[in-house]
């Protein structure tokens, strides 16, 4: 990845944003889908041909503030850019008929730029700028296109995020002012005392934990997911957790190696307990979207165990799990929307999809893929995360195994509503468009399960910088 | 009068002359382009200031002509220009008189910020406030009294200071010795200037007053921060900033009146300014104040577009459809208030917080960052209210081309500075004490 | 290469059917599935010769996880080849049976896809070179089983049963995965052969990790092989269509046993001993429960649990040959029994309660013969295979001078004989209506015939050494033990025959005696009360307690801020600040400055 690739990542959505001004029906959505795919393809090509290597450069912006404007792309960046690109494409394609589509996709493109920016920023000020720039368009998307409970959900989300970001900003400034630079690469070689490392790491982690979302900061997630329009729900449960994990793995771990090592067991424990908690609550949800949200909290808790563990295997598992989770959950949300459009509600009840066999079959596969169906990326990631957990704290490993069991239970509960039943759902089977989205998402997820090294290799690229020192 | 004297007072002179001209023209109330002429003279004043730049002080050192002066004069002039242009029209008094009074007040602001002498300061404050008395919306006589009390406080303070030091120049502050009169005078001057800040933040000319008062306070503060009787401005400003930030954030959360919301927004940003000042970072303070000015202009433009005396959030319903330009301006301005990227507000926030971290004011950084969270919720309500469906049977609002234009212009400036902050950061770095 | 084909063919079949099956006819889909499984069987059979020359064959596809030993690779030796042959062969015949049996079904695409997937998953369990791939195979098989059991989930029970199959299976898989990872953290590899070597090297000095790992693996094996107390999924699963039941009871349920067989050298001795104890007690208990059941499907399911318990005994004792033998023999005769019973149910109106049968000997001649052969085998009467396997296990127990376990094995054998003969007597011998409806189904007959021949001849074949399933035949046992085994079987059979020859109604007293065992020794109630209800309670409490209080706390903060905001709004500035504020402010400033100025 070099300047050209990064420029493409940021400019493609901006071009879509501009094109949203054109009054052509349906153009905005098509372009939004294409922009997501284009990002993924460009980054994939660059990452796997090794084009540009792990390039780092600068943009000139706000120099007097001390912002170096460093940008760059490592393995994590590439993997998550690809995953988010695909998720954005799927989300844009899956929206159904939205009112005021041009305005929607204009804001959507802004979100996409912000996510891309977070992933390529290697300067903390720039990182925070993109990180916070995400909030406004996302809040507007939720407020203006959301469902019944959108006001409270949006306010809850915004308040949570902004409070956590306040801590992040404080941490960034305290670190950067002390070190006289904000570039991650330079900060990584800046020696900090153990005490200040812990304090700063906690400030940073607050923001990442909030986005992840980590128990007990998760309450915004189910509400927001249950009320957001489907494309935005996909962003909330797929992409936002991804950038949180990205922050933990590529900011916290390299900058605060000692603190992450010391805090590791506690954080892993919190993540494991939270994962179990969310899994149990997922079991009790009556709204499929809330179930997906709690399931996401649970699964990302497992992924976070790997990231907090910060062993090579843990980080590999975290990246693989994030990518795989993003794609699998995107597929689930698309299917939930499809199901709801046929039954008229998002509730869990017996649907009986006798005349929609494809929908039913894909739903089962997608749900199981989110909880680690074997031969999917999720299962491979779980193995890697467990390896890391058992190596660092066997008790947490056992707890994580327990989560895997409970997650099978909530998946079963969701699937049970799809088993044949006397009350059959009317309506067509899954349309070809939705079929194409879901099948391609699941194909990637299964592919990741069979060839996980494609992604874990990308995580390894960052390893020398991040884990060796923590040892 | 030497050449330096003329250069020093040229900006004020331009404003004063145009104020007189406008006053004379008030016999012909329907002159259409008058407010544009007023705005033009403000622009001229600003341009003159920038053209002359910093240099030797005039009038035997009583009128400073430094980078600080340039920066604040430009801000005040821009604010005055916007206030003049945003005049809602003949319903509230005749336009030419309004223009004239605002120009006079701007003249006072220019004098206030460039004053390096207590007498000059008193003159400036008087000239700044007195023309604003008649410019009230609701005929509230008490307002004049309050405005006058501010002038009176400054006057008493100046008298006491003179009594304590026997000099009127700011340079005398550093040489002050132990004397209760000195501190009392200083407290009265500072109190009077601070009172100016909270006096009328809900009016569109508050930007002028704010720029003037902040400029004068910074100058006085810098001058009194040395010598025997050095005043502990760090803690004073930090506490004031913390108070301003907390009150502005919490009170804004449930406020329904737009003018007050605009006032809280100004107050919040004044909190940032105080934070920066407490950390002895004049450039950051100046930068934050300019962001505040731009966002306040956009906010008052939006309020002007509504053509309601005391607009509520409800009155915004349907604005997104009718006046998208105003809503964009409003949204960008509020994003700047909250300090969100990619607006200049974000840069300002970082700039101020960096300074505060350097000044060991971490608690104020955390408070400010948390306040950003709270005010996001508070001001998100304003933007989102614009998207609500208009009430059935609502009368179509009159055209509002000028406010839309002003709002867009301000928003453009805010975003442009947010994306390319270099030039403004450079200009602000000229502000030092 | 052939080895890869053995595993790949079922997966390809599954994917092919899932993808393109919608355009094919019902019988074509079934044909494809049978052909795929038969091909897999053929591929496995073609390796017999090669394995006579070499101890094992390996095949590697490529690297998989970034963990040492976690490759996509397969390995087979002669003993696992025998298991492979049994799995592919029996499942191919069950698939063949399904074509006719489920001819009226609308959802055959899903059925056969899941069927092939289950077989593929189990083949991975048998052949995977490392533990992680093995777990993946188990999980795939578990999910396929979920789909299959839920196949006819129009009614609640089948859906419940499917969920139970999935979750208990998942518990097992999670335990095995955890065990595998504990082993990895200790020995730094997951390759089974390397692990065996490492465990041997370290011996008992390796600390607690091998013990923890062994316990976890045993828990997994217990769950996967339906042993007490994690057996509850198997009786429930009989709600599924007959061929599914057959597949579960012959192939899926052996997963845990295969695991124990493959990991024998890794597990610590105490845990192996525990496996034998669990297996033995399950074998006896389940056999008693089987005797008491009224539903023909449940009788068979419970006796499956009992028979698998015997396999666990053998595996725990290290009698690998006996384990293998019992596994294969049981697969053959249990398939016969379940499928034959299914054929009877298909053409007999009414419920599956055994009381509804009777007098079917004449109208269903060939089915009766097949069922008879199966019963013979289950009863452990020579020359059918069951006799040899029970004898082998008993002798294994005895050779380790474990008298109690020997007795347990013999008792289980006798009880199995009683249960089998009881069923046969009630269904076919006793008088009854003898009505049958519906058409005959030739493919069912073919499948049954082949399986029955296998069940009858398998023991003999092995004992004369035609099949290379390893050494250590039953004749190592002392002769009196063979006689005792035979005697136990005869006693059980004769007793059942005498009691039930006139039908179940006539044996009311015997039935009453056994009522206590009918509910499965109370395990279901225990689960409901001891696990499910507390768990549901925990969920409820978390939702009502933790989640709601978290919510309330956040809302409370919001409300508090809102109140103070309104209070401030009433008081604060906006031109209403009186001049007194100015004075007060100035005084405060003065005071502060005076104070700090000193």
């Amino acid at each position: 990845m070099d300047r050209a690739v990064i420029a493409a990542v940021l400019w493609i959505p901006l071009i879509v944003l501009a094109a949203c001004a054109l009054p052509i029906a349906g153009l905005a959505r098509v372009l939004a889908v294409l922009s997501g795919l284009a990002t993924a393809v460009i980054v994939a090509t660059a990452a796997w041909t090794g084009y540009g290597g792990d390039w780092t450069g600068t943009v000139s912006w706000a120099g007097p503030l001390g912002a170096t404007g460093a940008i760059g792309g490592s393995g994590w960046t590439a993997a998550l850019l690809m995953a988010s690109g695909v998720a954005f494409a799927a989300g844009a394609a899956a929206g159904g008929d939205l009112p005021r589509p041009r305005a929607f996709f204009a804001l959507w493109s802004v979100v996409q730029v912000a996510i891309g920016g977070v992933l390529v920023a290697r300067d903390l000020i720039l990182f925070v700028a993109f990180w916070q720039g995400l909030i406004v368009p996302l809040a507007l998307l939720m407020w203006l296109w959301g469902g019944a409970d959108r006001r409270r959900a949006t306010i809850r989300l915004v308040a949570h995020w902004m409070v956590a970001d306040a801590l992040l900003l404080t941490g960034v400034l305290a670190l950067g002012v002390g070190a006289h630079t904000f570039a991650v690469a330079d900060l990584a070689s800046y020696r900090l005392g153990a005490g200040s490392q812990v304090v700063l790491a906690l400030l940073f982690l607050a923001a990442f934990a909030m986005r992840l979302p980590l128990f007990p900061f998760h309450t915004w997630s189910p509400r927001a997911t249950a009320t957001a329009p489907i494309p935005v729900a996909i962003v909330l449960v797929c992409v936002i957790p991804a950038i949180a994990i990205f922050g933990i793995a590529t900011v916290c771990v390299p900058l605060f190696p000692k603190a992450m090592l010391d805090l590791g067991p506690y954080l892993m424990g919190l993540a494991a307990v939270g994962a179990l908690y969310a899994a149990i609550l997922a079991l009790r949800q009556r709204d499929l979207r809330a179930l997906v949200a709690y399931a996401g909290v649970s699964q990302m808790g497992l992924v976070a165990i790997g990231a907090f563990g910060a062993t090579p295997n843990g980080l590999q598992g975290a990246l693989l799990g994030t990518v795989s989770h993003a794609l699998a959950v995107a597929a689930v949300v698309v299917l939930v929307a499809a199901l709801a459009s046929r039954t008229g509600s998002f509730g869990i009840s017996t649907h009986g999809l006798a005349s929609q066999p494809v929908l039913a079959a894909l739903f089962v596969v997608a749900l199981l893929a989110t909880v680690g169906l074997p031969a999917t990326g999720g299962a491979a990631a779980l193995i890697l995360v467990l390896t890391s957990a058992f190596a660092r704290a066997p008790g947490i490993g056992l707890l994580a195994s327990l989560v895997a069991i409970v997650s099978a239970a909530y998946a079963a509960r969701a699937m049970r509503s799809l088993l044949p039943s006397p009350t059959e759902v009317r309506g067509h089977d899954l349309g070809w468009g939705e079929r194409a989205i879901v099948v391609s998402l699941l194909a990637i997820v299964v592919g990741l399960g069979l060839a996980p090294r494609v992604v874990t290799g990308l995580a390894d690229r960052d390893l020398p910088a991040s884990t060796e020192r923590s040892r | 009068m030497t050449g330096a004297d003329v250069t020093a007072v040229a900006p004020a002179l331009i404003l004063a002359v145009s104020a007189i001209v406008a006053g004379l023209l008030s016999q012909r109330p329907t002159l259409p382009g008058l407010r544009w002429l007023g705005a033009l003279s403000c622009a001229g004043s600003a341009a003159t200031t920038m053209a002359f730049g910093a240099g030797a002080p005039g009038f035997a050192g009583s009128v400073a002509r430094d980078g600080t002066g340039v920066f604040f004069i430009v801000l005040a002039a821009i604010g005055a220009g916007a206030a003049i242009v945003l005049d809602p029209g003949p319903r509230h008094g005749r336009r030419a008189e309004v223009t004239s009074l605002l120009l006079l007040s701007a003249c006072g602001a220019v004098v206030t910020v460039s004053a390096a002498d207590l007498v000059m300061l008193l003159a400036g404050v008087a000239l700044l406030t007195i023309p604003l008395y008649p410019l009230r919306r609701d005929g509230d006589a008490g307002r004049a009294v309050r405005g006058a009390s501010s002038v009176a406080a400054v006057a008493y303070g100046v008298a006491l200071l003179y009594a304590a030091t026997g000099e009127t120049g700011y340079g005398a502050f550093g040489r002050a010795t132990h004397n209760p009169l000195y501190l009392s005078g200083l407290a009265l001057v500072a109190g009077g200037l601070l009172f100016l800040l909270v006096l009328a933040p809900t009016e569109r000319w508050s930007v002028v007053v704010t720029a003037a008062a902040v400029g004068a306070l910074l100058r006085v503060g810098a001058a009194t921060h040395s010598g025997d009787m050095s005043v502990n401005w760090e803690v004073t400003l930090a506490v004031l900033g913390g108070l301003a930030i907390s009150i502005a954030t919490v009170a804004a959360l449930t406020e329904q009146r737009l003018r007050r919301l605009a006032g809280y927004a100004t107050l919040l940003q004044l909190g940032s300014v105080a934070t920066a000042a407490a950390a002895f970072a004049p450039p950051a303070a100046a930068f934050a104040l300019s962001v505040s000015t731009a966002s306040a202009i956009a906010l008052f433009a939006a309020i002007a577009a509504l053509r309601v005396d005391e607009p509520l959030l409800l009155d915004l319903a349907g604005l997104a459809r009718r006046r998208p330009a105003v809503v964009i301006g409003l949204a960008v301005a509020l994003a700047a208030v909250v300090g969100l990227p990619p607006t200049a507000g974000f840069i300002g926030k970082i700039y101020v917080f960096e300074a505060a971290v350097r000044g060991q004011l971490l608690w104020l950084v955390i408070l400010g960052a948390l306040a950003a969270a709270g005010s996001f919720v508070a001001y998100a309500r304003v933007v989102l209210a614009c998207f609500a469906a208009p009430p059935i049977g609502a009368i179509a609002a009159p055209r509002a081309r000028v406010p839309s234009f002003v709002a867009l212009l301000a928003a453009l400036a805010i975003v442009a500075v947010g994306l390319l902050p270099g030039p403004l950061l450079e200009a602000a770095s000229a502000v030092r004490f | 290469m052939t080895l890869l084909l053995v595993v790949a063919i079922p997966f390809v079949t599954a994917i092919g059917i899932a993808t393109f099956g919608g355009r094919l006819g019902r019988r074509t889909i079934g044909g494809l599935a049978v052909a795929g499984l038969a091909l897999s069987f053929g591929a496995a059979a073609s390796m017999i010769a090669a394995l006579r020359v070499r101890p094992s064959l390996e095949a590697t596809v490529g690297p998989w996880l970034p963990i040492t030993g976690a490759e996509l690779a397969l390995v087979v030796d002669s003993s696992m080849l025998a298991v492979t042959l049994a799995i592919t062969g029996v499942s191919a015949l069950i698939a063949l049976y399904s074509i006719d049996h489920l001819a009226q079904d609308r959802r055959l695409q899903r059925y056969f896809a899941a069927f092939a997937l289950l077989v593929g998953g189990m083949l991975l369990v048998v052949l995977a070179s490392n533990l992680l791939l093995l777990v993946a195979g188990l999980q795939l098989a578990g999910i396929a089983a979920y789909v299959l059991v839920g196949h006819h989930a129009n009614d609640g029970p089948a859906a419940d049963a499917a969920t139970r199959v999935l979750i208990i299976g998942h518990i097992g898989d999670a335990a095995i995965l955890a065990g595998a990872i504990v082993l990895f953290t200790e020995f730094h590899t997951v390759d089974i052969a390397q692990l065996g070597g490492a465990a041997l090297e370290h011996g008992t000095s390796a600390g607690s990790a091998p013990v923890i790992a062994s316990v976890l693996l045993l828990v997994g094996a217990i769950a996967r092989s339906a042993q007490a107390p994690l057996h509850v999924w198997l009786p429930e699963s009989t709600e599924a269509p007959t061929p599914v039941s057959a597949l579960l009871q012959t192939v899926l349920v052996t997963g845990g046993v295969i695991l124990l067989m493959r990991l024998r050298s890794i597990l610590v001795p105490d845990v192996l001993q525990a496996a034998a104890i669990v297996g033995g007690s399950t074998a006896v208990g389940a056999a008693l429960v089987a005797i008491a059941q009224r539903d023909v499907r449940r009788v068979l399911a419970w006796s499956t649990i009992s028979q698998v318990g015997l396999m666990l005994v053998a595996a725990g004792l290290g009698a690998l040959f006996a384990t293998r033998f019992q596994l294969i023999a049981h697969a053959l005769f249990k398939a016969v029994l379940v499928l034959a019973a299914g054929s009877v149910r298909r053409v007999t109106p009414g419920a599956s309660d055994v009381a509804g049968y009777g007098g079917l000997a004449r109208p269903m001649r060939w089915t009766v013969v097949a069922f008879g052969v199966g019963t013979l085998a289950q009863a452990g009467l020579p020359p059918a295979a069951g006799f040899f396997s029970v004898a082998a296990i008993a002798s294994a127990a005895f050779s380790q001078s474990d008298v109690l376990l020997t007795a347990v094995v013999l008792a289980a054998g006798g009880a199995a004989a009683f249960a089998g003969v009881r069923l046969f007597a009630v269904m076919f011998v006793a008088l009854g209506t003898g009505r049958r409806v519906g058409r005959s189904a030739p493919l069912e007959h073919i499948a049954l015939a082949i399986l029955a021949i296998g069940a009858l001849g398998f023991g003999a074949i092995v004992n004369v050494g035609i099949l290379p399933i390893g050494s250590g035949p039953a004749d190592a046992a002392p002769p009196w033990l063979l006689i005792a085994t035979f005697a136990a079987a005869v006693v059980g059979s004769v007793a059942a025959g005498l009691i039930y020859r006139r039908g179940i109604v006539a044996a009311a007293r015997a039935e009453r005696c056994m009522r206590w065992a009918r509910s499965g020794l109370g395990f279901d109630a225990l689960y409901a009360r001891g696990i499910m209800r507390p768990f549901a309670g925990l969920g409820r409490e978390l939702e009502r307690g933790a989640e709601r209080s978290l919510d309330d706390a956040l809302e409370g903060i919001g409300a508090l801020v809102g109140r103070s905001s309104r209070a401030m709004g009433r008081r604060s500035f906006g031109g209403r600040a009186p001049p007194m504020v100015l004075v007060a402010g100035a005084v405060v400033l003065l005071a502060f400055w005076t104070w700090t100025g000193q």
Side-chain angles (χ1 to χ4, degrees), chain B residues 146 149-150 153 183-184 186-187 190-191 195 198-199 201 231-233 235-236 247 250-251 253-254 260 263-264, chain C residues 561-562 564-566 568-570 572-579 581-582 586 589-590 592-594 596-598:
Chain B
R146 285 180 215 122
S149 62
S150 196
L183 281 185
S184 316
L186 208 53
F195 199 62
V198 295
L199 193 63
V231 168
N232 191 346
W233 281 105
V235 179
T236 313
I247 293 176
V250 176
L253 275 171
T254 53
R260 285 212 169 196
Y264 290 130
Chain C
V561 172
S564 38
S565 162
R566 272 184 289 274
M568 264 184 209
R570 275 196 297 276
S572 73
F573 76 118
R576 299 205 194 289
V581 175
L582 200 174
L589 280 181
L590 176 63
F592 177 67
W593 287 343
T594 315
T596 55
Q598 302 312 314

Side-chain angles (χ1 to χ4, degrees), chain A residues 53-114:
Chain A
D54 289 342
W55 178 83
T56 322
T58 58
V59 289
S60 75
W61 176 78
L65 292 181
T68 56
I71 53 170
S74 59
W76 273 78
T77 303
L80 294 181
L81 277 176
M82 282 182 256
S84 64
V86 173
F88 271 111
D97 283 329
L98 294 156
R100 291 163 290 162
R102 283 161 52 207
F104 184 92
F105 285 108
L107 288 168
W108 177 263
S109 307
V110 178
V111 173
Q112 205 178 334
V113 175

Side-chain angles (χ1 to χ4, degrees), chain C residues 330-430:
Chain C
H330 172 256
L332 289 165
F333 75 70
K334 192 49 62 76
V336 172
L337 287 172
V338 175
L339 294 181
S343 290
V344 173
R345 282 186 59 226
R346 185 170 67 78
V347 297
T348 313
S352 48
D353 190 317
V354 283
Y357 298 127
L360 287 166
R362 193 173 303 273
M364 303 189 70
R365 209 168 307 122
W366 291 108
T367 310
V368 173
V369 170
F371 200 96
V373 170
T375 307
L376 210 60
Q378 163 153 345
L381 292 168
F387 170 71
F388 298 101
S389 64
V390 174
I393 297 170
S395 79
F398 186 75
S399 68
Q400 300 196 2
S401 57
D402 196 333
V403 181
L404 182 65
L405 215 48
T406 315
V408 162
V409 171
L410 293 180
F418 188 95
V421 173
R422 167 180 177 257
L423 204 56
F424 186 82
V426 170
M427 285 174 76
F428 300 110
V429 177

